Amino acid sequence: MTAIYQGLRRGLPVIMRNTGARSAFEASVFADLIVLGKALTSQHLH
Amino acid sequence: MPENTLHEPPTAKEDGVFLNIPYDQAFEPLYLAYIAGVRAFRLLPRATLEIPGGERRLDRILALICDCRYSFHDLSRVELSVKRPATPRFNMPFELGLAVAWQKFREPTHTWCVFESRTWRAGKSLSDLSGTDVYVHDGSPAGVFRELRNALCWRTINQRLRK
């Protein structure tokens, strides 16, 4: 969980830049975090 | 919620988790922790954030709860707002009430869990919850991970037993 969390923390600024979001609580950011979370889960948990 | 769902409850998605959490900057680390933790259990985080506007907000929240197998309600920020007039934030306990009613009267398989940052507070602010296990995360991401494991451990055990 910690590795996934750290990956999300690293990814959040990139997601916000790419989506032009002003807050982490925008729909597009939430959607991207879920997708990133899935990728990180596959990477860290087998 | 569409009218026909009043007669035919929708089938909840087995992996859906409705996250009833505050949307504010100070909560951002725990917001990420919930997404990470739920994802680690190979479940799908859902939140009112994802639903486009247009419909009445309450209908959207109800539809989301009905669509999820689990709902996690974080009451750690049920406090008075800083801006005057100081007003308590009732949205999260209200949505918890909707989930409890959904589980009690329509969908017994729906599992709702209450999360808090302090041990004593939920019992004080919402005494109707007495007898309910509240998952206390101490306001830290590590605490959220710990309590998600506690809340979902039986799911892991069941999956292992089925293998």
Side-chain angles (χ1 to χ4, degrees), chain B residues 71-90:
Chain B
S71 56
F72 293 165
H73 306 264
D74 191 308
L75 304 185
S76 62
R77 301 297 294 277
V78 180
E79 53 198 18
L80 293 177
S81 61
V82 178
K83 286 182 188 166
R84 292 175 63 87
T87 313
R89 301 161 65 145
F90 286 142

Side-chain angles (χ1 to χ4, degrees), chain B residues 55-71:
Chain B
E55 263 182 280
R56 215 171 134 222
R57 181 174 169 81
L58 180 57
D59 291 340
R60 290 185 277 145
I61 292 167
L62 279 168
L64 201 47
I65 290 171
C66 298
D67 202 31
C68 290
R69 169 73 173 75
Y70 306 92
S71 56

Side-chain angles (χ1 to χ4, degrees), chain B residues 124-140:
Chain B
K124 186 180 176 192
S125 68
L126 196 55
S127 59
D128 287 353
L129 281 180
S130 60
T132 301
D133 287 333
V134 174
Y135 297 95
V136 180
H137 56 54
D138 308 317
S140 69

Side-chain angles (χ1 to χ4, degrees), chain B residues 14-150:
Chain B
E14 181 59 29
D15 64 349
V17 179
F18 172 58
L19 292 179
N20 177 17
I21 58 175
Y23 302 144
D24 64 52
Q25 194 72 30
F27 197 79
E28 194 179 284
L30 299 192
Y31 165 63
L32 295 179
Y34 275 107
I35 295 173
V38 167
R39 266 311 195 193
F41 278 93
R42 302 190 190 282
L43 296 169
L44 178 65
R46 310 282 306 275
T48 52
L49 292 169
E50 70 185 70
I51 310 174
E55 263 182 280
R56 215 171 134 222
R57 181 174 169 81
L58 180 57
D59 291 340
R60 290 185 277 145
I61 292 167
L62 279 168
L64 201 47
I65 290 171
C66 298
D67 202 31
C68 290
R69 169 73 173 75
Y70 306 92
S71 56
F72 293 165
H73 306 264
D74 191 308
L75 304 185
S76 62
R77 301 297 294 277
V78 180
E79 53 198 18
L80 293 177
S81 61
V82 178
K83 286 182 188 166
R84 292 175 63 87
T87 313
R89 301 161 65 145
F90 286 142
N91 283 344
M92 283 159 287
F94 178 72
E95 290 165 23
L96 166 62
L98 294 175
V100 172
W102 174 246
Q103 183 263 325
K104 276 277 177 210
F105 299 115
R106 295 303 292 267
E107 185 50 75
T109 62
H110 182 85
T111 302
W112 51 269
C113 301
V114 180
F115 293 78
E116 241 291 12
S117 58
R118 298 184 201 174
T119 306
W120 50 268
R121 197 164 50 180
K124 186 180 176 192
S125 68
L126 196 55
S127 59
D128 287 353
L129 281 180
S130 60
T132 301
D133 287 333
V134 174
Y135 297 95
V136 180
H137 56 54
D138 308 317
S140 69
V144 168
F145 301 153
R146 179 189 66 232
E147 297 310 321
L148 285 174
R149 284 191 199 99
N150 287 332

Side-chain angles (χ1 to χ4, degrees), chain A residues 1-2 4-6 8-9 12 16 22-31 33-35 37-38 41-42 45-46, chain B residues 22-25 27-29 31-33 35-37 39-42 44-47 49-50 141 145 148-149:
Chain A
M1 283 186 194
T2 304
I4 299 166
Y5 172 73
Q6 287 169 344
L8 290 179
R9 285 215 77 142
L12 180 59
M16 288 184 64
R22 286 171 295 182
S23 157
F25 300 98
E26 291 187 21
S28 59
V29 177
F30 181 62
L33 285 170
I34 289 171
V35 172
K38 185 177 185 182
T41 302
S42 302
L45 303 175
H46 303 286
Chain B
Y23 302 144
D24 64 52
Q25 194 72 30
F27 197 79
E28 194 179 284
Y31 165 63
L32 295 179
I35 295 173
R39 266 311 195 193
F41 278 93
R42 302 190 190 282
L44 178 65
R46 310 282 306 275
L49 292 169
E50 70 185 70
F145 301 153
L148 285 174
R149 284 191 199 99

